[in-house]
């Protein structure tokens, strides 16, 4: 069981409404040109930042024009047996084995994004009884701009004179597929 505090950013609304209804689902939406859909990073679900209020504020500033709320979920419990963690080698091996099984049948699927694969597996779970037991999806987000990524995630080298590095502040995002399963100590609006 993993237990962390998570922040959920949403558009600004009346406090009572946000407190009662949060978190809010991120759904796929039609592209403006009408061709296909834009699917959220880890598929449709409820998104959170793992103990990273700075990231929650950044997201609200960029995506909500500065008019947003942040709701903190204290001690959110995540059962490891239903967590697909993209920072865990065994979880990645499972995900990639499942992908390979379908890539053999549909070679064009090799180019699919993670979000498309997740939505596909959720659909196959219901149709073909595919073993995809996950309700929690966790990944470390990276910005396409290396300079921004290094600054926000606090890039630091391992040893003087070396170019090898790590990040001291990864951007862990969490997507919960079904919010009815959420267990936490309390939730409160912190912004």
């Amino acid at each position: 069981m993993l237990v962390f505090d998570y922040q959920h950013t949403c558009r600004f609304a009346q406090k009572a409404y946000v407190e009662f209804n949060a978190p809010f689902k991120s759904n796929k939406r039609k592209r403006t040109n009408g061709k296909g859909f834009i699917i959220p990073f880890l598929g449709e679900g409820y998104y959170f930042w793992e103990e990273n209020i700075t990231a929650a504020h950044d997201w609200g500033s960029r995506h909500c024009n500065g008019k947003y709320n942040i709701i903190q979920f204290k001690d959110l419990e995540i059962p490891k047996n239903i967590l697909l963690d993209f920072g865990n080698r065994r979880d990645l091996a499972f995900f990639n084995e499942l992908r390979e099984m379908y890539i053999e049948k549909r070679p064009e699927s090799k180019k699919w994004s993670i979000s498309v694969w997740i939505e596909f597996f959720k659909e196959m779970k219901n149709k073909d009884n595919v073993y995809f037991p996950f309700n929690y999806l966790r990944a470390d987000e990276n910005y396409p701009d290396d300079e921004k990524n290094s600054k926000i995630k606090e890039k630091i080298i391992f040893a003087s004179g070396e170019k090898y590095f790590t990040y001291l502040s990864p951007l862990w995002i969490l997507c919960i597929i079904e919010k009815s399963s959420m267990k936490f100590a309390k939730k409160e609006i912190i912004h």
Side-chain angles (χ1 to χ4, degrees):
M1 179 84 61
L2 296 176
V3 179
F4 291 105
D5 292 348
Y6 284 90
Q7 294 79 39
H8 173 76
T9 308
C10 63
R11 296 193 188 289
F12 182 79
Q14 290 182 331
K15 184 177 179 177
Y17 177 81
V18 172
E19 284 178 335
F20 185 76
N21 292 295
F24 299 95
K25 190 172 186 177
S26 181
N27 295 303
K28 65 182 175 184
R29 61 188 194 282
K30 283 192 176 227
R31 293 188 182 277
T32 52
N33 64 8
K35 296 179 181 178
F37 291 91
I38 296 172
I39 302 172
F41 288 7
L42 296 170
E44 291 188 314
Y46 303 85
Y47 279 80
F48 303 83
W49 296 103
E50 184 177 289
E51 299 196 355
N52 196 329
I53 294 169
T54 302
H57 279 291
D58 182 56
W59 196 93
S61 295
R62 288 185 293 119
H63 296 280
C64 302
N65 297 324
K67 296 177 181 173
Y68 60 94
N69 291 112
I70 297 174
I71 303 88
Q72 181 158 270
F73 291 78
K74 298 287 288 174
D75 299 331
L76 179 64
E77 297 177 7
I78 303 169
K80 287 185 180 181
N81 63 328
I82 55 173
L83 168 66
L84 175 58
D85 188 348
F86 285 91
N88 177 301
R89 290 251 180 229
R90 289 183 179 168
D91 288 359
L92 285 171
F94 174 86
F95 183 76
N96 285 323
E97 283 175 28
L98 197 54
R99 281 179 58 237
E100 289 301 321
M101 187 172 79
Y102 282 96
I103 289 171
E104 284 181 25
K105 296 175 187 176
R106 301 175 177 193
E108 69 277 7
S109 65
K110 186 174 180 108
K111 295 180 181 180
W112 288 359
S113 66
I114 288 174
S115 62
V116 171
W117 278 112
I118 290 168
E119 288 302 311
F120 176 75
F121 292 145
K122 286 173 6 185
E123 199 173 299
M124 288 298 101
K125 177 180 177 176
N126 298 331
K127 288 182 181 177
D128 287 347
N129 210 14
V130 168
Y131 184 69
F132 193 75
F134 309 109
N135 187 49
Y136 298 86
L137 309 158
R138 181 177 180 256
D140 179 18
E141 179 186 3
N142 286 287
Y143 288 99
D145 178 343
D146 286 338
E147 191 174 320
K148 183 175 184 179
N149 211 39
S150 295
K151 181 181 177 187
I152 289 179
K153 295 179 70 170
E154 297 180 35
K155 179 180 177 179
I156 188 168
I157 58 169
F158 281 112
S160 296
E162 295 292 331
K163 293 182 180 180
Y164 299 97
F165 65 91
T166 191
Y167 295 113
L168 294 179
S169 185
L171 292 172
W172 290 110
I173 55 174
L174 177 74
C175 176
I176 299 175
I177 297 169
E178 294 291 332
K179 85 175 182 179
S180 61
S181 68
M182 291 176 61
K183 293 181 182 171
F184 50 89
K186 74 175 187 173
K187 72 177 176 179
E188 62 184 334
I189 296 176
I190 59 173
H191 175 86

